[in-house]
Amino acid sequence: MQYSDEYNDLLEKYRKLQLRTTRFSAIEQELINTRDRLDYELESYKRLSQYSYFALESTNENHFFSTITEAIIDVLEVEVAVVYFNHLKNPQKSKVYTEGIVTEKNQTQLSQEIISLNRENKLQKPGKVLVDSCANYSVLSKYAHILFSAHNENALGYEIYFLGMNSLENASLYQTIEERHETLFAVLVQQMQSLLANRKRREQIENQVKLISKSEKELKKLSLIATKTNSGVIITDAFGRIEWTNNAFTNLTGYSLAEIIGKKPKDFLQGPKSDQKSIKRLATALKNKQDIEISLINYTKQGEIYYNNLEIISVFDDKNKHINFIAIQKDITEDTRAKQEILRMNSRFELITNKSKIGIWEWTPENNTVVWNEINYEIYGLNPKETKIDLYEFWKKSIHEDFKDATLQNIQKIIDNHSDHTQERIKIRRNNDKSERILDTVTIAERDEHNKLIRLLGSSRDITAKAELQESLQNAIKQRDDSIEKTEVIKTFYERILTHSPSQILVFDNHLNLTYSNISKSEKNNNWNIPLNTSLHDLAKKHDNNRLKAIVDSISQAKKTGQVVQIEDSFFNEKNEQVHFIRSILPYFSEKDKLENIIIIGLEISEVKRIQADIILKNTELRKINLELDNFVYSISHDLRSPLLSVKGIISFLLQKEALSENAIKFLNLATDSINRLDTTIQEILEYSRNAREHIKYEKFNLSELVKVIFKDLKFANEKNIDFIFKNQDPCWIETDKSRINILLKNIIGNSVKYTRENVKAFVEVNWTYNNEQLTITITDNGEGIDEIYLPKIFDMFFRATTSSIGTGLGLYICKEITNKLSGKIKVKSTKKLGTTFSVQLPLKRHFL
Amino acid sequence: MIIHLIDDDDIINALHEMVLTDVNPNIQVLCFRSGRQYVNYIESIHFKKPDKVFLDIRMPEMDGHEVISYLEVKEPNPLEDVELFVLSSTLNENDHKKVLEHNIVTDFISKPLTIDDVETIILS
């Protein structure tokens, strides 16, 4: 009884020790977790910066927004991301972008809810929405967590909302929204919003550029008018009052210019049969100063109805102010008077074209004459007095090689009646200074009623300076935008990182004036109440502060060596807790090796220090306990064994020396068996504890010899008739832990010897093979075998497969522990009533043969 | 023949005495219950040099290692030419090795002493 008490006591103490070990590893785990969490956050910021870069690079708006939603999902690790772009002036341009599975397909509903959520919540900054406040919303109430942010950009005409959400049914699969998420979300939203604003600003500029090119088109039309003289033309002022008409108009309507000047055309041209719908359309277009082409029934001075195909062009000056309407009445019956008309018109339009620097040319196939106006001479760099030159050949030569073929082909198409006009941008070489010029050209064919070509009319405008200017302006704008955008994004990004960094960062200039600090005033361990632009030198002098002095000294050292200097800084905070910081003092040199800044990065290590001290203390304690336990286990095993062995000795003496009855001998033998079993148990417990604690002792030995010794011992200790077969008896020199291998093999072979089958000639066979990496030892027997259901458990502590088992249930557990310790593997194959094979695989540190 | 047994376990001492006298009834056995007792005896005027000594390792007051250390420094050696056997039930291999490092120790024998052991020792 006494022994079993002590044995229980031993086990109890052992359990307590294991509990302690578990506790220490929990503390270590906590440290690792903290480090992992910081790593993880840094990783999130890195990912965010990657997405910002993608968003910055994306050219397509859809792509831009889907990058944002992806970023929300990926960086914040939420289930659903929604970005709602609300166009204030044009609701049709509003759009909802989603990523993840949105429970509501009805996006109109979703966007309405987002807007009213913004109004009701009045969140000052991006953050978490209390789910209660969404209870009345049909879509949003389906979400358990909502991160929300709204931005209003009135100047750019839009509102943008960002949401990150987890649905009710899946919320358990996602992390709860913590402060960390809100911070991350704020950074993300801020970055994306500034990217979007930049994008919209750029779009505005592009639209203006487009407007400029549009008014250019109108100028082109103006130059066209000069040639479209077979139609009636009215020019009115901005209020639609007639300023001028051409002869064609007079011929068509019977009104002379003198009669109608200052009047509005609708006052005298329209009559009862004029279509009111068309008139209304025309009036609206005129009111909105839009171009329009419309068919109307009009009346001549004589009251005759005529069918008028009217085209109205609005003319704007370069300040985008509306100055004129030009109305063209197409009339195909009146072209016989065209030639005369053109001459009359020319003098007037010469003025307009001179003002607008439009070159005009005319080619008549009938007599193959080419006429240029003065501007055209100027554009091509030719002296107008040069009359001997063949203008057509000269023109052909002037065109840049890259454009020549296409231009000539287009003109040929007009001549061949495949088209009636072409508009081109071409490059020419100017004759006088040989410089390359860019021209916008228009070419128009005039045909008679049989579609025969009468003449070609063309205009050209030198837009080189403008094109270059426009191009360089666009480039400059783009470059400026890009660089502003990039630097701003990077600056914000790093500032955000610094602000959210757990480290305290102080930047001083080379006179030790504080220029930057990320320490907020509310911070708990703010021990650096240094106002910006204050010198650290002065502070150290003024307050006789040893801590400051130590830092100033370290700064001098860092300046001198040019290396990072680290010092530990300890102080008591407001709550009178001791706080430890490690401060790295980093001298920052410019490219010319001039000291520019001193950067001090302070990292709070109080917790680490505390845990460190704790761990050291506990480690020492643990080591002591371990040593005590070692002695304890040996003492106990010794004290348990001593009396056991004396009993064993007495029995053996009795059996050998006294004349005993048969029954006495039988009982004494049984007693001996029990003693042996108890002894084995004690030895196994000792082996187990030794394996768990002792380091591996490598030594060189011959495995074959070891197996032979084990065989011999077992043969000697056993009366059973068993064949011990050792297949490969070659010397096997290996280097590993001999005593562990001994225990391992003894246990397994011992089991084979223990559990033999009756009526079968028992054998146990040992074999070994090896390759470069590992040694495999197999132990096969034809014994009882192990039930299949027990196979997965046989290596468990205290597991015994049968009641007939006479062991402690520790043997195979120890084998498993030993192979684990030696980084090996142990496997078992067994068939009930057939036998068992154990194979032990050991990686060899070295092996010798 | 005089044999000294030093062991704190009376039963073991009794058993060992039986085993020894069984092999040779003329053997005179003296038992000591601790290392301290044995050293006191050596220091006393009653000390008589034995032929063989069986010493246990783990004992209260003064253990086997301490007795060995004492004997090694003692001048003159009280056990000159005496065979000293260390008897122990320890499973600690270190105990085993440590004991055999001493020149004055003849051998290490695991407990309990059997008739076979005694025959081998006495007849050799």
Side-chain angles (χ1 to χ4, degrees):
Chain A
M1 261 332 267
Q2 189 193 348
Y3 302 138
S4 92
D5 280 351
E6 282 175 33
Y7 173 60
N8 283 337
D9 195 28
L10 167 70
L11 273 179
E12 178 57 28
K13 289 198 175 164
Y14 205 75
R15 260 182 222 123
K16 277 186 186 161
L17 182 81
Q18 275 183 329
L19 258 174
R20 281 190 178 201
T21 320
T22 321
R23 265 211 322 273
F24 300 144
S25 55
I27 289 164
E28 197 188 349
Q29 189 56 43
E30 217 170 279
L31 266 180
I32 293 170
N33 287 349
T34 311
R35 194 197 59 205
D36 287 353
R37 189 169 54 74
L38 285 176
D39 280 356
Y40 173 73
E41 274 185 35
L42 185 63
E43 189 54 40
S44 300
Y45 281 107
K46 276 190 195 156
R47 256 186 290 159
L48 172 56
S49 97
Q50 188 65 33
Y51 277 107
S52 299
Y53 178 73
F54 286 155
L56 181 66
E57 291 290 299
S58 71
T59 46
N60 174 310
E61 186 151 293
N62 282 338
H63 181 251
F64 174 79
F65 281 110
S66 65
T67 306
I68 300 179
T69 51
E70 269 171 42
I72 293 174
I73 294 254
D74 196 25
V75 177
L76 290 161
E77 293 174 47
V78 291
E79 187 187 1
V80 177
V82 178
V83 172
Y84 171 35
F85 177 81
N86 185 15
H87 201 285
L88 296 172
K89 286 179 198 152
N90 189 353
Q92 281 179 345
K93 283 189 180 171
S94 297
K95 203 162 173 192
V96 179
Y97 298 87
T98 58
E99 181 88 27
I101 301 154
V102 184
T103 53
E104 180 64 52
K105 295 268 179 329
N106 184 356
Q107 298 196 330
T108 319
Q109 174 67 21
L110 178 63
S111 47
Q112 277 166 4
E113 287 184 16
I114 288 172
I115 289 177
S116 58
L117 177 70
N118 182 38
R119 274 196 212 107
E120 285 170 27
N121 253 282
K122 295 283 176 224
L123 284 175
Q124 292 302 310
K125 54 176 185 162
K128 191 161 63 176
V129 175
L130 289 177
V131 180
D132 294 347
S133 57
C134 295
N136 294 329
Y137 299 137
S138 66
V139 182
L140 290 175
S141 60
K142 289 176 188 157
Y143 293 91
H145 310 137
I146 301 175
L147 279 167
F148 182 76
S149 174
H151 291 264
N152 186 306
E153 286 283 353
N154 270 328
L156 293 169
Y158 69 86
E159 282 174 342
I160 178 101
Y161 302 91
F162 300 88
L163 287 93
M165 311 189 285
N166 295 328
S167 68
L168 283 171
E169 62 261 41
N170 293 336
S172 56
L173 304 175
Y174 292 86
Q175 300 172 43
T176 337
I177 304 299
E178 294 162 3
E179 205 179 310
R180 178 171 73 79
H181 290 91
E182 290 178 46
T183 314
L184 198 54
F185 184 63
V187 177
L188 184 147
V189 162
Q190 206 276 341
Q191 279 187 18
M192 293 307 175
Q193 154 61 6
S194 84
L195 282 178
L196 179 66
N198 272 315
R199 212 185 164 81
K200 290 291 163 195
R201 259 176 233 127
R202 201 172 58 203
E203 268 176 21
Q204 266 189 352
I205 292 173
E206 275 167 8
N207 284 340
Q208 278 165 9
V209 170
K210 263 184 216 153
L211 270 176
I212 292 169
S213 13
K214 199 178 154 202
S215 60
E216 247 171 69
K217 256 185 234 156
E218 279 151 8
L219 261 175
K220 256 176 237 152
K221 279 182 190 161
L222 189 67
S223 76
L224 264 171
I225 293 165
T227 61
K228 283 193 167 184
T229 50
N230 48 351
S231 307
V233 176
I234 313 165
I235 296 179
T236 74
D237 64 9
F239 304 100
R241 293 185 293 245
I242 292 171
E243 284 185 333
W244 178 83
T245 59
N246 66 352
N247 274 358
F249 179 81
T250 310
N251 293 338
L252 186 65
T253 61
Y255 294 107
S256 69
L257 181 58
E259 279 175 276
I260 52 173
I261 195 156
K263 288 186 180 164
K264 291 185 177 180
K266 63 167 184 176
D267 295 340
F268 55 91
L269 285 178
Q270 285 163 13
K273 287 195 177 166
S274 300
D275 176 24
Q276 289 304 315
K277 261 188 202 162
S278 299
I279 289 169
K280 211 168 182 186
R281 210 153 69 84
L282 179 63
T284 316
L286 290 176
K287 201 176 145 202
N288 295 333
K289 315 204 184 323
Q290 283 165 345
D291 294 356
I292 187 169
E293 194 168 346
I294 198 164
S295 295
L296 275 176
I297 289 168
N298 281 166
Y299 292 83
T300 63
K301 198 177 174 182
Q302 283 75 36
E304 284 169 31
I305 289 172
Y306 72 97
Y307 193 76
N308 181 11
N309 190 9
L310 189 68
E311 188 186 348
I312 296 177
I313 300 161
S314 297
V315 183
F316 297 85
D317 69 3
D318 49 3
K319 281 173 190 150
N320 213 14
K321 187 173 168 255
H322 182 248
I323 46 169
N324 286 110
F325 286 111
I326 297 169
I328 304 151
Q329 294 188 319
K330 281 178 191 162
D331 184 349
I332 48 162
T333 63
E334 291 297 321
D335 57 352
T336 44
R337 269 167 279 181
K339 183 153 186 175
Q340 234 184 344
E341 191 60 25
I342 211 167
L343 288 173
R344 213 181 72 81
M345 290 282 289
N346 265 353
S347 58
R348 184 174 175 92
F349 282 100
E350 200 82 330
L351 267 170
I352 297 176
T353 52
N354 274 348
K355 278 257 158 58
S356 57
K357 293 279 176 197
I358 295 171
I360 290 177
W361 59 266
E362 180 188 322
W363 173 66
T364 323
E366 206 178 325
N367 49 14
N368 196 18
T369 49
V370 178
V371 183
W372 284 12
N373 72 353
E374 257 182 58
I375 308 292
N376 220 32
Y377 277 101
E378 208 178 290
I379 288 172
Y380 284 87
L382 194 64
N383 188 348
K385 294 187 178 116
E386 199 81 64
T387 47
K388 283 176 188 163
I389 251 172
D390 181 339
L391 283 173
Y392 177 65
E393 285 302 319
F394 170 79
W395 172 73
K396 257 200 324 198
K397 242 191 280 166
S398 297
I399 304 170
H400 193 278
E401 284 302 324
D402 293 350
F403 294 86
K404 195 172 277 178
D405 290 347
T407 308
L408 293 176
Q409 270 171 26
N410 282 337
I411 288 187
Q412 195 55 50
K413 268 186 204 164
I414 297 175
I415 295 171
D416 294 346
N417 202 9
H418 294 305
S419 70
D420 64 350
H421 79 282
T422 95
Q423 247 175 292
E424 281 169 288
R425 179 162 287 194
I426 63 164
K427 217 183 242 180
I428 60 149
R429 186 172 294 278
R430 193 154 70 183
N431 183 48
N432 50 3
D433 60 358
K434 306 293 174 207
S435 68
E436 276 186 3
R437 314 299 295 174
I438 298 164
L439 306 184
D440 272 356
T441 66
V442 179
T443 308
I444 290 169
E446 260 188 66
R447 296 175 195 282
D448 64 14
E449 63 266 44
H450 309 295
N451 245 349
K452 188 173 168 272
L453 186 72
I454 301 164
R455 68 171 81 81
L456 284 184
L457 294 167
S459 70
S460 41
R461 215 153 61 83
D462 187 327
I463 54 148
T464 317
K466 201 172 175 184
E468 278 170 2
L469 198 70
Q470 206 173 25
E471 199 180 332
S472 65
L473 183 75
Q474 271 172 350
N475 280 341
I477 287 171
K478 196 173 164 351
Q479 270 179 14
R480 196 203 57 179
D481 275 6
D482 284 358
S483 67
I484 286 173
E485 230 168 77
K486 277 182 186 158
T487 40
E488 270 187 6
V489 166
I490 290 166
K491 192 172 161 246
T492 328
F493 174 59
Y494 283 110
E495 269 182 6
R496 286 279 176 170
I497 287 186
L498 288 181
T499 317
H500 292 100
S501 159
S503 314
Q504 297 184 346
I505 297 164
L506 301 162
V507 181
F508 297 90
D509 65 11
N510 56 359
H511 302 297
L512 287 190
N513 289 319
L514 184 67
T515 57
Y516 172 84
S517 160
N518 74 339
I519 309 173
S520 70
K521 286 199 174 107
S522 58
E523 199 163 312
K524 191 178 72 178
N525 292 321
N526 176 11
N527 202 259
W528 285 85
N529 282 319
I530 309 169
L532 281 180
N533 301 319
T534 322
S535 162
L536 205 57
H537 274 306
D538 297 347
L539 273 178
K541 258 182 233 163
K542 211 158 106 190
H543 312 284
D544 191 22
N545 185 325
N546 285 332
R547 279 181 53 229
L548 278 176
K549 275 183 188 161
I551 284 170
V552 173
D553 285 350
S554 302
I555 291 174
S556 321
Q557 198 194 331
K559 271 184 182 172
K560 216 182 289 165
T561 58
Q563 304 279 329
V564 176
V565 176
Q566 287 195 327
I567 58 162
E568 277 196 28
D569 182 18
S570 304
F571 56 90
F572 289 89
N573 68 6
E574 287 167 359
K575 289 183 188 160
N576 215 22
E577 299 159 337
Q578 190 162 23
V579 180
H580 299 272
F581 268 83
I582 184 148
R583 300 202 192 271
S584 304
I585 298 165
L586 176 80
Y588 178 77
F589 294 93
S590 66
E591 281 166 16
K592 286 166 195 159
D593 285 342
K594 188 178 159 277
L595 183 75
E596 284 208 333
N597 291 105
I598 297 281
I599 301 165
I600 301 183
I601 301 166
L603 194 64
E604 196 190 335
I605 52 164
S606 312
E607 190 64 11
V608 180
K609 273 242 161 186
R610 200 178 57 68
I611 293 168
Q612 207 175 34
D614 220 31
I615 286 177
I616 289 170
L617 186 79
K618 292 199 167 138
N619 227 340
T620 320
E621 217 173 292
L622 195 65
R623 210 172 288 143
K624 206 176 129 216
I625 291 169
N626 223 340
L627 194 71
E628 276 170 8
L629 187 86
D630 212 9
N631 286 330
F632 174 75
V633 168
Y634 278 121
S635 300
I636 294 284
S637 66
H638 175 268
D639 293 352
L640 285 174
R641 283 192 90 212
S642 294
L644 198 63
L645 293 177
S646 55
V647 175
K648 192 177 169 183
I650 291 166
I651 293 172
S652 123
F653 187 81
L654 280 178
L655 283 170
Q656 245 171 318
K657 288 298 162 188
E658 300 292 322
L660 300 164
S661 70
E662 220 169 274
N663 262 349
I665 292 170
K666 199 174 122 195
F667 289 135
L668 285 177
N669 275 331
L670 283 175
T672 311
D673 281 352
S674 292
I675 291 165
N676 283 341
R677 238 160 65 198
L678 183 53
D679 195 24
T680 313
T681 307
I682 295 168
Q683 288 194 42
E684 280 183 348
I685 291 171
L686 194 64
E687 276 166 6
Y688 164 69
S689 84
R690 192 185 295 161
N691 180 57
R693 276 173 296 107
E694 276 182 11
H695 294 294
I696 299 170
K697 265 180 265 167
Y698 286 102
E699 63 184 299
K700 215 164 95 179
F701 66 95
N702 185 347
L703 178 71
S704 294
E705 275 310 311
L706 184 71
V707 174
K708 281 176 200 163
V709 170
I710 294 170
F711 274 6
K712 210 171 109 192
D713 288 352
L714 286 169
K715 258 182 212 164
F716 182 73
N718 232 283
E719 283 149 21
K720 286 183 182 171
N721 184 10
I722 294 171
D723 277 346
F724 288 92
I725 308 162
F726 188 23
K727 265 214 169 161
N728 188 351
Q729 301 207 17
D730 295 339
C732 173
W733 286 98
I734 56 175
E735 185 161 4
T736 180
D737 192 318
K738 187 180 175 184
S739 86
R740 281 192 166 89
I741 296 288
N742 187 30
I743 293 166
L744 177 74
L745 294 178
K746 249 189 193 165
N747 262 310
I748 300 174
I749 301 170
N751 277 349
S752 293
V753 171
K754 245 186 262 173
Y755 304 108
T756 50
R757 265 185 295 155
E758 275 175 35
N759 308 324
V760 174
K761 172 70 176 160
F763 75 81
V764 50
E765 181 191 296
V766 176
N767 196 14
W768 57 266
T769 54
Y770 78 97
N771 60 25
N772 284 343
E773 284 144 21
Q774 62 180 27
L775 174 78
T776 309
I777 308 168
T778 51
I779 301 100
T780 311
D781 66 41
N782 60 345
E784 277 179 21
I786 304 161
D787 220 319
E788 205 182 330
I789 54 162
Y790 296 135
L791 275 178
K793 291 187 184 170
I794 59 162
F795 293 113
D796 292 354
M797 201 178 200
F798 301 122
F799 178 78
R800 283 184 290 173
T802 58
T803 43
S804 72
S805 160
I806 45 171
T808 51
L810 271 175
L812 286 177
Y813 175 67
I814 291 167
C815 291
K816 177 84 179 169
E817 291 290 297
I818 287 175
T819 45
N820 281 351
K821 189 96 177 180
L822 297 176
S823 319
K825 280 178 199 157
I826 184 163
K827 289 174 188 163
V828 62
K829 273 186 212 158
S830 185
T831 314
K832 188 80 180 162
K833 305 282 180 215
L834 266 182
T836 307
T837 301
F838 281 93
S839 61
V840 178
Q841 293 177 340
L842 295 170
L844 294 183
K845 195 182 173 196
R846 256 174 275 153
H847 67 271
F848 304 88
L849 255 191
Chain B
M1 190 186 270
I2 301 172
I3 288 177
H4 289 168
L5 293 177
I6 305 119
D7 198 316
D8 57 325
D9 188 341
D10 287 336
I11 300 171
I12 279 283
N13 279 338
L15 172 69
H16 286 172
E17 195 178 338
M18 275 201 292
V19 172
L20 287 165
T21 50
D22 183 78
V23 173
N24 185 348
N26 295 326
I27 288 174
Q28 195 191 336
V29 178
L30 264 176
C31 296
F32 302 89
R33 293 198 59 205
S34 79
R36 171 64 54 212
Q37 238 180 49
Y38 188 54
V39 168
N40 287 345
Y41 169 72
I42 291 174
E43 299 279 343
S44 75
I45 48 161
H46 308 292
F47 177 69
K48 199 178 162 196
K49 200 156 108 176
D51 295 287
K52 294 178 200 305
V53 174
F54 292 92
L55 175 66
D56 186 25
I57 290 293
R58 301 186 76 112
M59 288 180 289
E61 291 181 20
M62 186 176 186
D63 70 12
H65 295 301
E66 285 170 299
V67 174
I68 291 166
S69 308
Y70 161 80
L71 289 171
E72 269 181 335
V73 293
K74 179 79 182 168
E75 284 285 344
N77 184 358
L79 298 181
E80 185 84 55
D81 299 330
V82 176
E83 283 185 305
L84 173 62
F85 294 94
V86 171
L87 272 178
S88 184
S89 58
T90 183
L91 283 168
N92 190 339
E93 281 179 25
N94 287 337
D95 276 358
H96 204 123
K97 279 183 195 155
K98 212 163 128 193
V99 161
L100 288 176
E101 275 166 18
H102 300 281
N103 286 329
I104 59 165
V105 175
T106 311
D107 207 351
F108 182 97
I109 301 169
S110 284
K111 280 191 206 172
L113 212 53
T114 60
I115 293 171
D116 291 349
D117 291 333
V118 175
E119 276 173 349
T120 321
I121 291 163
I122 291 178
L123 297 179
S124 64

